Amino acid sequence: MTDGLSPEPNTYPPELLNAIGDLLATAHRHQVGVAFEPDGEGWRVHYLVKDWPAVQEYQLSAGPLSNAYDLQTAASAALRPLVKMGQSVTAYFDERQRVKDDHAKRSTQAEQ
């Protein structure tokens, strides 16, 4: 069975696997989902974030990261905007967890 990405069945170039692996690892580190979409002319890469302020304020839970003629280029191009956005997402989730922890601590102290 061939996948249309490489001349050998189910054999992907290491550069492609590295680009996708780097993108997925970065997304995981920042708690952001990534979607790959073939669009007929190439590939689009999107981010997906659940329960982030942009979702509530702007009704955005997903958006574009890159668009390119091949998957390797699209994945590589998506890395920089993902890192930039991911830092904001990580800071938000860290702060939200800190607030929850502080609230739980105050509740416990009030009960004693």
Side-chain angles (χ1 to χ4, degrees):
M1 173 191 268
T2 183
D3 57 25
L5 290 175
S6 62
E8 306 259 337
N10 297 320
T11 302
Y12 300 96
E15 299 82 7
L16 171 62
L17 297 176
N18 288 336
I20 292 172
D22 289 347
L23 188 64
L24 292 175
T26 300
H28 181 264
R29 187 169 47 254
H30 291 295
Q31 303 176 36
V32 176
V34 176
F36 301 91
E37 175 189 13
D39 67 4
E41 296 178 14
W43 287 85
R44 290 184 227 179
V45 180
H46 303 274
Y47 70 87
L48 306 134
V49 181
K50 182 181 178 202
D51 200 22
W52 189 45
V55 174
Q56 297 165 8
E57 187 174 343
Y58 304 109
Q59 299 301 309
L60 298 173
S61 60
L65 289 171
S66 70
N67 188 356
Y69 62 93
D70 69 32
L71 185 53
Q72 179 183 337
T73 303
S76 295
L79 191 57
R80 177 173 275 160
L82 178 65
V83 167
K84 185 174 181 182
M85 187 199 61
Q87 291 169 340
S88 297
V89 172
T90 299
Y92 167 74
F93 284 124
D94 288 349
E95 176 62 17
R96 192 173 82 170
Q97 186 61 48
R98 187 192 63 73
V99 169
K100 282 182 181 181
D101 292 346
D102 288 350
H103 179 53
K105 185 177 178 182
R106 281 194 298 266
S107 294
T108 302
Q109 289 172 346
E111 291 174 2
Q112 295 175 354

